[in-house]
Amino acid sequence: MGVYKRGRYYWVSFTYQNQQVRESAKTTHKRTAEILLAKRQLEIFENRYFPEKKKKSLTIEQLRDLWLTTKAGKKSISDDEQRFRRIVGFFGPARRISQITPENVEALLSHLQETPNRNKQPMKPATVNRYLVLLRAALNLASKRDHRHQDPFKTVELLREDNERDRICSPAEYATLFKHASPELRLAVVLGYWTGMRLGEIANLRWEQIDFHRATITLLAKDTKTSSRRLVPLMPEASEALKGAPRNMDGRVLRLQSSSLSQAFNKLCKRLKIKGLRFHDLRHTAATNLRRAGVDIYTIQAITGHKSLETLKRYNTVTLGDSQAAFAKIAKRE
């Protein structure tokens, strides 16, 4: 184990998977060889080391492991893990990345388009694209780690996305949801409707983040999708709902995870025959209600935490009633 000299050059020796590996450092300087040894040991520790002979035969399953290990600190790593489950299932765990062609990626695209989502509906283009973007990023990572392969995305185009939604939750629908939801889901609905927070931000909310005296919720950078700290105003309706909620021993406001809350919300909407409403539309509704109340768009952006005004515009519905109200204001001035 360590650094030793053989002929003119230094070599390094270390253990990998219970076997001794010897590698030429291709240098006459001992310090350079020591740096190489430290690098190899770090690669093994972080599950990033693959012997040169294996680099040509990296499988799709190993690609998944390489990505999940390297990106372990990513906030959406659980989403990546779920998407890789389908990708590996399609290609087969033993398929080498060097064998993946543009035709294979096109086949994956078609397969995903035909795969029903949890609502038994075909995947939307934006959802399909998330799988392709993940696979492309993972292959790029493999290239940077010297796992050689051709670029199967060279001739593949992502699907055209239509992310704009004009669905908002009406006051009547909100009242119905509030009445029939379980206590846990009801609190989540109230927070979504009156604060515009994302589902993940609501699910991970802790009591220490809530300041009833200042009527604010503090979201740190680690709590938000955009990794930006922000203060969310606490409306009286949300404050009242929080004050009436039981305190969990672990400090979390809600016990359910975001996926469970989303599923419960969808089931409730189905039972109440409320069509086309997702939990995320409550955030959309909050932004629209703020705009209708006369709040300027920059303040709305600061409250909701949208990264750009262009993104915010997609969640700011202008209805016929809004247009009629605008003309009514003009008429009053004349």
Side-chain angles (χ1 to χ4, degrees):
M1 292 289 290
V3 176
Y4 62 96
K5 198 170 185 179
R6 178 188 291 177
R8 288 184 57 205
Y9 297 106
Y10 280 94
W11 285 62
V12 296
S13 174
F14 51 92
T15 300
Y16 174 67
Q17 295 184 347
N18 296 321
Q19 293 185 352
Q20 189 174 21
V21 177
R22 296 181 178 89
E23 179 183 351
S24 173
K26 299 179 182 179
T27 180
T28 57
H29 300 282
K30 185 177 181 181
R31 179 55 183 160
T32 303
E34 290 173 343
I35 292 174
L36 175 63
L37 176 61
K39 179 182 177 182
R40 292 288 181 261
Q41 291 172 332
L42 179 61
E43 288 173 343
I44 292 172
F45 179 77
E46 295 181 344
N47 195 28
R48 296 190 290 108
Y49 174 74
F50 296 91
E52 197 64 30
K53 63 181 181 180
K54 289 190 175 183
K55 289 185 177 181
K56 297 179 182 178
S57 59
L58 190 68
T59 66
I60 193 73
E61 188 173 52
Q62 290 172 327
L63 177 69
R64 176 203 63 193
D65 295 342
L66 174 64
W67 177 266
L68 295 180
T69 301
T70 306
K71 304 293 182 179
K74 188 181 175 186
K75 291 181 180 179
S76 58
I77 193 64
S78 59
D79 295 332
D80 290 355
E81 188 172 5
Q82 178 270 323
R83 289 173 184 138
F84 254 120
R85 196 174 299 126
R86 276 205 173 108
I87 293 172
V88 173
F90 175 79
F91 286 112
R95 173 71 71 88
R96 297 179 181 180
I97 63 173
S98 59
Q99 297 173 330
I100 299 177
T101 66
E103 291 75 20
N104 297 146
V105 176
E106 292 283 4
L108 172 63
L109 188 155
S110 299
H111 170 73
L112 292 170
Q113 286 180 300
E114 297 169 359
T115 302
N117 58 23
R118 67 181 60 174
N119 296 322
K120 299 181 179 180
Q121 298 295 322
M123 277 192 191
K124 293 185 177 181
T127 304
V128 173
N129 283 345
R130 299 293 79 75
Y131 283 86
L132 300 183
V133 168
L134 172 62
L135 177 58
R136 184 173 60 186
L139 289 171
N140 288 339
L141 174 65
S143 293
K144 293 178 181 177
R145 300 288 170 81
D146 295 328
H147 301 290
R148 293 180 291 277
H149 60 85
Q150 63 174 315
D151 179 10
F153 283 88
K154 188 176 295 185
T155 60
V156 177
E157 293 185 3
L158 298 181
L159 299 177
R160 184 178 181 276
E161 298 183 16
D162 181 11
N163 289 330
E164 293 189 17
R165 282 179 62 85
D166 58 5
R167 184 68 164 95
I168 60 173
C169 181
S170 69
E173 288 173 331
Y174 171 73
T176 301
L177 290 167
F178 184 90
K179 179 180 178 180
H180 295 280
S182 65
E184 181 100 342
L185 180 58
R186 182 184 299 121
L187 179 56
V189 168
V190 170
L191 291 173
Y193 188 87
W194 289 106
T195 70
M197 291 167 59
R198 297 179 178 89
L199 177 57
E201 296 168 347
I202 293 172
N204 295 323
L205 186 63
R206 301 181 64 83
W207 287 107
E208 63 203 43
Q209 296 173 254
I210 303 169
D211 188 333
F212 289 110
H213 179 69
R214 296 175 59 201
T216 58
I217 294 175
T218 300
L219 297 178
L220 301 177
K222 65 181 180 65
D223 303 317
T224 67
K225 180 180 178 181
T226 57
S227 299
S228 300
R229 182 182 183 276
R230 78 178 194 271
L231 286 179
V232 180
L234 193 58
M235 298 293 287
E237 293 81 358
S239 180
E240 182 180 348
L242 284 167
K243 288 178 180 177
R247 299 292 182 105
N248 299 318
M249 294 295 292
D250 61 1
R252 298 176 66 241
V253 174
L254 298 173
R255 292 170 298 168
L256 295 177
Q257 300 295 327
S258 56
S259 58
S260 299
L261 287 170
S262 179
Q263 290 174 11
F265 183 84
N266 292 338
K267 288 181 180 178
L268 178 61
C269 286
K270 185 176 182 180
R271 180 162 63 86
L272 299 175
K273 297 182 179 180
I274 299 176
K275 297 182 179 180
L277 188 67
R278 305 178 309 180
F279 192 94
H280 191 74
D281 294 327
L282 298 178
R283 172 173 166 79
H284 178 183
T285 304
T288 300
N289 288 341
L290 286 169
R291 192 262 306 158
R292 287 174 173 173
V295 179
D296 68 90
I297 194 167
Y298 295 103
T299 301
I300 297 175
Q301 183 184 15
I303 293 172
T304 59
H306 284 95
K307 197 166 187 178
S308 67
L309 291 177
E310 195 61 34
T311 304
L312 177 57
K313 287 176 183 176
R314 298 204 304 257
Y315 298 92
N316 191 11
T317 296
V318 178
T319 66
L320 175 61
D322 293 329
S323 301
Q324 291 172 334
F327 278 105
K329 289 181 181 179
I330 295 174
K332 286 182 180 179
R333 292 178 181 176
E334 295 179 350

